[in-house]
Amino acid sequence: MQRPVTTLFLLTSVDGKITTGATDRLDFDRDFPRIPGVREGLAQYYDIEQTTDLWSLNSGRVQEKMGVNQKETPEKTPVSFVLIDNHHLTEQGIRYFCARSQQFVLVTSNQKHPAFGVTSENLHIILQPKLDLAGALERLNREFGCQRLTIQSGGTLNELFLREKLLDYVDLVVAPVLVGGKDTSTLIDGRSITDPGDLSGLGVLSLESVQQLEGSYLRLRYKVLS
């Protein structure tokens, strides 16, 4: 199977959380700028984000949380976006990404998704009976020439990429904060391993680089071995 080289790129706490709590009212982007000792180095993450791949994958749930369904029409960026969504994005959210993206690819299993009511030259819909990540990645490569893809989704979707062996690199910016909370989303959520026979589902990593950033932030880059 030909698919893009994938990199999971996220901002995390030292204890691996990717949000400040177990509700959509809490979010790093909203909360970190208000926390002394954390806000001072936050801009470095966004600077690094601007250097990631020109194809970016996210989920409709994360984007709904970020408020795209209410945002005004943005300026065009050099990035092509892939969103996996069944019911979180509204028609306005779809139009927002059409305006923002070079190419916008929606992956959905919902035959009545609002995207089917939107006409745009750069909107492409991959309709699947059920989510097939490997198949979607293969189509991104074959039909759209996507060769490198940055993944910035939530913990549940990240778990699917991990278990299906679809991650090639992990690139983390670690903020100097501990969040805690067993129900707070982490880098990898989803199904837990409960049987020793399932250990083949682990992601074994090789550290490629460590970069100490300002304000006690770190950047860690790993290659996924298995």
Side-chain angles (χ1 to χ4, degrees), residues 80-96:
S80 293
F81 289 91
V82 182
L83 287 187
I84 297 176
D85 181 65
N86 279 338
H87 56 82
H88 290 94
L89 292 179
T90 64
E91 183 174 313
Q92 174 58 27
I94 296 297
R95 294 188 185 280
Y96 172 90

Side-chain angles (χ1 to χ4, degrees), residues 127-146:
L127 180 63
Q128 299 178 322
K130 64 178 182 178
L131 180 60
D132 174 9
L133 284 178
L137 293 182
E138 183 179 12
R139 287 188 63 178
L140 286 175
N141 178 266
R142 183 180 72 250
E143 297 178 18
F144 304 102
C146 174

Side-chain angles (χ1 to χ4, degrees), residues 40-66:
E40 291 81 1
L42 182 59
Q44 298 169 105
Y45 167 73
Y46 299 113
D47 289 342
I48 294 170
E49 185 179 39
Q50 296 302 310
T51 69
T52 57
D53 301 315
L54 290 178
W55 280 85
S56 176
L57 181 144
N58 211 308
S59 70
R61 179 181 181 274
V62 170
Q63 292 304 313
E64 179 191 42
K65 182 178 176 180
M66 296 297 295

Side-chain angles (χ1 to χ4, degrees), residues 181-198:
K182 67 181 181 64
D183 295 322
T184 300
S185 187
T186 64
L187 186 69
I188 305 289
D189 288 332
R191 179 181 63 86
S192 298
I193 291 176
T194 58
D195 190 297
D198 290 339

Side-chain angles (χ1 to χ4, degrees), residues 11-13 20 28 31-44 174-178 214-217:
L11 176 65
T12 81
S13 65
T20 39
F28 280 177
D31 300 335
F32 275 6
R34 300 187 288 115
I35 303 174
V38 177
R39 65 186 176 211
E40 291 81 1
L42 182 59
Q44 298 169 105
V174 183
V177 63
L178 295 168
E214 296 179 4
S216 297
Y217 277 73

